[in-house]
Amino acid sequence: MSSDGPDADPSTDPSEVDSAFRVLSDVHRRYALYYLRDRETTNLEELATVLASWLGARDDANTVITPEERERLLVALHHAHLPDLDAAGLVRYDSVTGDVSLNSLPEVVETALNLSLAQQREAPGRPEKRRFGWRAGR
């Protein structure tokens, strides 16, 4: 079976696709991008708070995130996830000020995020299906 379907974009560099899949393979980075697609800019503190509640509610809408869990997420965002997104060119992250802003996303990333979000919305029993106003596209 050929990977060149009717919707394949011949201008997409295979290394860009590999990089997109690597970066998007982590739920923390996908959720950060979902949030930034709606807001475009935020700061580390706000992002950690929002993502902690979204991730906590993934399996149980009644989950309450502890301050320690939020702090662990903040540290992971600061040291791993935001630098990875920045290195991939998807966001600009200033580790000194904590400012985060979305860069223009390549089509392959937009498509992967849209598919991932649509799958999450359709998953039975997923709280984000009913609680969060994420858009599937821009």
Side-chain angles (χ1 to χ4, degrees):
M1 174 179 238
S2 171
S3 63
D4 297 331
D7 295 330
D9 181 356
S11 66
T12 302
D13 181 351
S15 66
E16 182 179 292
V17 173
D18 290 344
S19 175
F21 285 144
R22 185 193 64 73
V23 169
L24 297 176
S25 68
D26 187 278
V27 68
H28 301 94
R29 293 188 291 262
R30 288 193 309 273
Y31 276 43
L33 290 173
Y34 296 152
Y35 187 70
L36 285 164
R37 287 199 312 176
D38 279 342
R39 306 282 187 210
E40 294 187 16
T41 62
T42 190
N43 61 58
L44 177 60
E45 295 285 335
E46 180 178 312
L47 188 61
T49 300
V50 171
L51 267 57
S53 65
W54 284 359
L55 291 163
R58 274 177 40 151
D59 298 319
D60 181 358
N62 298 316
T63 298
V64 176
I65 300 300
T66 66
E68 293 79 17
E69 291 169 319
R70 182 200 168 274
E71 185 64 24
R72 278 194 297 276
L73 177 58
L74 185 142
V75 170
L77 286 168
H78 175 71
H79 289 289
H81 302 302
L82 291 174
D84 284 351
L85 289 168
D86 192 327
L90 303 180
V91 304
R92 284 180 307 280
Y93 175 54
D94 184 326
S95 63
V96 174
T97 65
D99 293 333
V100 185
S101 58
L102 186 68
N103 286 334
S104 178
L105 298 177
E107 185 176 337
V108 66
V109 172
E110 285 283 359
T111 299
L113 285 173
N114 291 341
L115 291 171
S116 172
L117 186 54
Q119 181 275 329
Q120 286 182 322
R121 285 181 169 160
E122 296 304 316
R126 282 284 174 90
E128 60 263 28
K129 181 177 178 181
R130 49 184 195 275
R131 292 186 47 165
F132 303 122
W134 295 333
R135 297 183 308 208
R138 294 202 84 182

